[in-house]
Amino acid sequence: MAALAALLVAAGLLVAAQGGLTRADAAPVAATVAAKKQPNPAYVVTPGITFNHPFKAKKRGAIQRKIIKTLKNVEGGQTVRLMTWNFDSPLLAGKMIAAHKRGVSVQIIMARGLAKAQGSHRSYGILSRALKKGNADRPKELRSWIRTCSATCRGKGGAMHNKMMLVSKSGATSWIVMQGSGNFTGAAAVQQFNDWTTVTDNQALYDGWMTMWEQAKKDKSFPSLQFTVPSTTTPGSTITTQFAPHRDQVDPPLRVLNKVQCNGAANTANGRTKVRVANAVWGDERGARIARKVRELHSQGCDVRVVFMMMSGKIRSILAPVPAKQMVYITGATANKFKDRYVHLKGLSVQGNLDGNPNATAVLSSSENWTQLGWFSDEHDLIFWDDAPMAAKYADWVDMIYNTAPRTLANYVNSADPDPQVRIKPGSEYLGPKDYPFHELEAELN
């Protein structure tokens, strides 16, 4: 009996000891989990261009993931400045709120019409309430908020149509400028082909964009703003920024296309300058001017391809001789922008002879549809001069879309124009902003 009692005591001690080890081990595990949720000071934001592909799981949400990783590693005391035509994403709203709670200054500007139409239960209302909390002890310039402009933040009329994020520092990376064609919505992540460029550790570019931001938040007219700075990642490359509303500026796509010479290219297989265009919406006389230039380059022997979402009949007739395809994949019985998959990019790529340089390249990446509304609205355009890897990547992406696009100019279909004027008709499939199914769309990312 004494021996049995000793065994039981020993067993009890062993169990207790094992229990103690388990509890002791739990603290490091919990600390590890908590550490993973904190910003990583060694994290490096990768510069370059990111594309979104609505048909491929690994590419669907690629831009959204890039934004989230950048936000996750912003430490308290740093700043995030964001402008977007539409912010309607429970996922991204949660990440913005989390950054604010750990001391990051998060400031967001969104289009007023969409913000009002969302109601209090969607992203604008949720962010408005959450970003007010915890501001009392912060300097005024580091308080967080979301707000709107009367129309165009830096002009009169038009719309606030930018899609950009400026981050002072994320991890080990400073002066981050992120911009492209995608809004902060589930539709941008799931339905659309979008692009998103990231420039890092370039203080001159960052400061220039912050100048625009400081003007925009005042919601009044300012002179046109454009500038060119050296690239910090690609030797010999420069980056030109043009902000709309445009006034005395050369139209950004024409700023590139007017330099193109179709023959004598040394960086293409056949010696012809390669022009790849991916712009969602072409309209008005502005879109026609750009279309005439694209047609002219095609007739002069350039290797031209165009992908788009929609354009007027006049512009389609101008582009009739040009290899052009409409990427609108209809998922239901009729075209419906809240269900379809479509091109939403707003740019172009050139590889070849530019201003007599046979080895030149250029990439235009922007928020701007080629319409008169875009000319007067808040928009941004980045032109990457002589960044050969980016130009090749952009051209390959356009070729991929062109080769998989379901229709041409001949079998064009009318899809819903993603413009600020939401058309609501009884019995139609067009929805108001409060009914956008973005929660359902983001479920596809899981």
Side-chain angles (χ1 to χ4, degrees):
M1 292 294 293
L4 180 58
L7 284 172
L8 290 172
V9 170
L13 288 173
L14 180 59
V15 170
Q18 287 175 332
L21 285 171
T22 302
R23 288 189 297 273
D25 286 346
V29 170
T32 301
V33 171
K36 287 182 178 180
K37 293 183 178 180
Q38 296 302 311
N40 176 6
Y43 178 74
V44 175
V45 179
T46 305
I49 193 164
T50 303
F51 292 106
N52 208 67
H53 195 310
F55 303 136
K56 295 186 177 181
K58 290 184 178 180
K59 281 289 185 179
R60 186 185 296 122
I63 293 171
Q64 204 176 54
R65 289 192 293 273
K66 177 100 176 183
I67 292 169
I68 289 171
K69 287 181 181 178
T70 302
L71 281 172
K72 177 183 176 182
N73 292 290
V74 181
E75 296 181 336
Q78 299 298 330
T79 62
V80 173
R81 301 292 182 257
L82 189 152
M83 296 177 74
T84 180
W85 175 63
N86 197 7
F87 197 128
D88 204 343
S89 165
L91 179 59
L92 291 176
K95 301 301 180 183
M96 296 289 172
I97 293 168
H100 166 69
K101 286 182 176 179
R102 64 174 180 268
V104 178
S105 171
V106 178
Q107 297 180 2
I108 303 169
I109 300 174
M110 177 182 160
R112 179 167 296 178
L114 290 176
K116 287 183 176 180
Q118 279 186 12
S120 62
H121 65 292
R122 302 296 285 261
S123 293
Y124 184 85
I126 292 168
L127 284 164
S128 182
R129 291 188 294 273
L131 296 182
K132 289 178 181 177
K133 298 176 181 178
N135 277 327
D137 297 330
R138 299 188 188 189
K140 184 177 180 180
E141 65 274 11
L142 294 181
R143 291 173 184 171
S144 297
W145 44 255
I146 183 170
R147 64 176 64 159
T148 64
C149 294
S150 57
T152 304
C153 300
R154 298 177 60 254
K156 297 178 180 179
M160 209 303 296
H161 199 248
N162 286 332
K163 303 126 183 8
M164 48 155 278
M165 187 169 78
L166 309 176
V167 181
S168 59
K169 188 175 183 181
S170 174
T173 308
S174 298
W175 305 315
I176 303 158
V177 175
M178 310 178 91
Q179 68 81 42
S181 62
N183 293 294
F184 287 66
T185 66
V190 174
Q191 285 184 274
Q192 301 168 351
F193 289 92
N194 280 307
D195 76 339
W196 193 251
T197 65
T198 303
V199 181
T200 63
D201 296 309
N202 192 323
Q203 186 175 4
L205 184 71
Y206 179 85
D207 287 349
W209 281 63
M210 282 299 297
T211 296
M212 185 280 297
W213 166 267
E214 292 297 329
Q215 294 175 350
K217 72 180 186 180
K218 295 177 182 178
D219 194 12
K220 64 180 185 178
S221 294
F222 283 90
S224 60
L225 179 61
Q226 57 183 324
F227 55 91
T228 299
V229 301
S231 169
T232 54
T233 56
T234 305
S237 174
T238 58
I239 305 171
T240 295
T241 295
Q242 290 187 232
F243 291 114
H246 301 294
R247 293 179 177 88
D248 55 351
Q249 298 172 315
V250 177
D251 204 322
L254 292 178
R255 186 166 185 164
V256 177
L257 296 176
N258 286 343
K259 297 177 181 291
V260 172
Q261 296 168 261
C262 289
N263 299 306
N267 55 1
T268 63
N270 55 14
R272 298 162 59 201
T273 297
K274 182 186 290 187
V275 179
R276 295 293 184 264
V277 180
N279 197 76
V281 182
W282 305 47
D284 310 314
E285 180 54 31
R286 182 190 181 196
R289 283 194 300 271
I290 300 168
R292 291 188 195 102
K293 184 62 183 181
V294 172
R295 176 173 174 161
E296 176 187 308
L297 293 176
H298 170 70
S299 67
Q300 290 175 354
C302 281
D303 174 8
V304 179
R305 282 184 174 180
V306 175
V307 295
F308 67 98
M309 193 273 281
M310 70 176 301
M311 59 178 61
S312 68
K314 176 182 178 179
I315 294 172
R316 295 201 302 275
S317 66
I318 293 171
L319 291 176
V322 179
K325 287 189 176 181
Q326 183 190 30
M327 173 51 89
V328 176
Y329 185 84
I330 300 174
T331 57
T334 60
N336 179 343
K337 80 173 183 180
F338 303 107
K339 295 180 181 178
D340 298 342
R341 269 54 171 163
Y342 54 88
V343 162
H344 196 253
L345 291 92
K346 304 162 195 306
L348 58 85
S349 169
V350 175
Q351 297 165 285
N353 193 339
L354 286 164
D355 269 352
N357 179 358
N359 285 295
T361 66
V363 172
L364 168 66
S365 171
S366 80
S367 65
E368 189 170 2
N369 291 311
W370 294 342
T371 63
Q372 202 62 17
L373 178 64
W375 187 264
F376 291 110
S377 296
D378 279 312
E379 306 279 8
H380 50 77
D381 300 86
L382 270 187
I383 305 173
F384 297 84
W385 303 101
D386 295 313
D387 189 328
M390 183 182 288
K393 190 173 181 179
Y394 198 102
D396 288 347
W397 196 254
V398 175
D399 283 343
M400 180 277 297
I401 297 173
Y402 183 91
N403 291 331
T404 56
R407 41 188 55 87
T408 65
L409 293 171
N411 63 345
Y412 174 89
V413 298
N414 286 308
S415 188
D417 185 344
D419 62 25
Q421 302 301 318
V422 179
R423 290 154 287 185
I424 308 173
K425 300 177 182 178
S428 76
E429 290 189 326
Y430 296 144
L431 307 178
K434 65 184 178 60
D435 299 316
Y436 287 2
F438 291 149
H439 293 69
E440 298 172 18
L441 289 168
E442 284 195 338
E444 295 186 28
L445 298 175
N446 298 328

